[in-house]
Amino acid sequence: MNNNELQNMVESISNRYFNEPFRHNALFNNKLRTTGGRYMLDSHNIEINPKQYQYYGKNALIDIIKHELCHYHLHLGGKGYKHKDSEFKILSKQVGAPRFCAPIQSYEARANYLYKCQSCGYKYLRIRKVDVRKMRCGICNGKLSLIEHLT
């Protein structure tokens, strides 16, 4: 699928589910890594992570587009467009837009650090580095130590 086909898909989904036209640009953005798509507040464009389409197919892409169109139409309508806003939650439910998309990689695959509790031995995988002077074990409140930097 290319950007022109994506643009046509976004326009048709907007008309079908929201009864309003999509008047801006929809495009794939290869730089997106942790999100399925995003609505740009300044330009009103929608960017989609192409890996979501490659991994999960057309149905996942439609769900992401519906989610981003909720942001789009509510923002342009001057209503609550953020995830926490009740208007966003109501519209998402009406059109069947999911709150999150499926991750491309599991948490374990994305983890960069391995920590171990010095007291009970429980091991923790973390994506971001943890300050072991502040963070404690969630099981026994023991001290954590960095075992391995995985990347």
Side-chain angles (χ1 to χ4, degrees):
M1 178 176 285
N2 61 30
N3 284 333
N4 290 332
E5 293 169 328
L6 177 65
Q7 179 74 30
N8 292 335
M9 181 183 275
V10 171
E11 289 172 2
S12 68
I13 290 171
S14 182
N15 287 327
R16 180 176 175 197
Y17 289 95
F18 299 89
N19 295 320
E20 293 183 40
F22 177 73
R23 293 190 172 103
H24 294 85
N25 296 321
L27 48 110
F28 286 112
N29 183 346
N30 289 311
K31 293 180 182 177
L32 295 178
R33 296 192 185 277
T34 60
T35 184
R38 67 180 173 189
Y39 165 64
M40 308 298 287
L41 292 173
D42 294 336
S43 65
H44 307 296
N45 293 337
I46 291 177
E47 296 179 347
I48 303 293
N49 185 342
K51 291 178 186 161
Q52 285 289 326
Y53 177 64
Q54 293 166 359
Y55 279 81
Y56 299 111
K58 189 175 180 179
N59 289 335
L61 185 64
I62 291 169
D63 286 344
I64 293 167
I65 291 169
K66 286 194 283 189
H67 177 95
E68 300 308 325
L69 283 171
C70 288
H71 291 296
Y72 173 83
H73 289 297
L74 289 170
H75 181 248
L76 291 179
K79 298 176 182 173
Y81 61 90
K82 297 178 182 176
H83 291 123
K84 66 180 179 180
D85 295 328
S86 61
E87 292 163 319
F88 180 84
K89 291 177 184 177
I90 292 168
L91 183 59
S92 294
K93 199 170 197 176
Q94 285 175 349
V95 298
R99 182 139 184 211
F100 301 105
C101 63
I104 293 171
Q105 285 184 313
S106 67
Y107 188 87
E108 290 78 16
R110 296 184 302 153
N112 297 316
Y113 301 94
L114 177 64
Y115 294 91
K116 184 177 180 181
C117 175
Q118 294 176 1
S119 298
C120 70
Y122 190 81
K123 293 181 180 176
Y124 295 90
L125 283 173
R126 292 292 177 262
I127 294 172
R128 298 176 115 183
K129 195 168 188 175
V130 170
D131 186 352
V132 294
R133 294 172 292 166
K134 294 181 182 178
M135 299 300 286
R136 307 286 280 198
C137 176
I139 296 172
C140 71
N141 205 30
K143 288 186 175 184
L144 298 178
S145 60
L146 177 63
I147 300 298
E148 186 178 357
H149 187 274
L150 302 172
T151 54

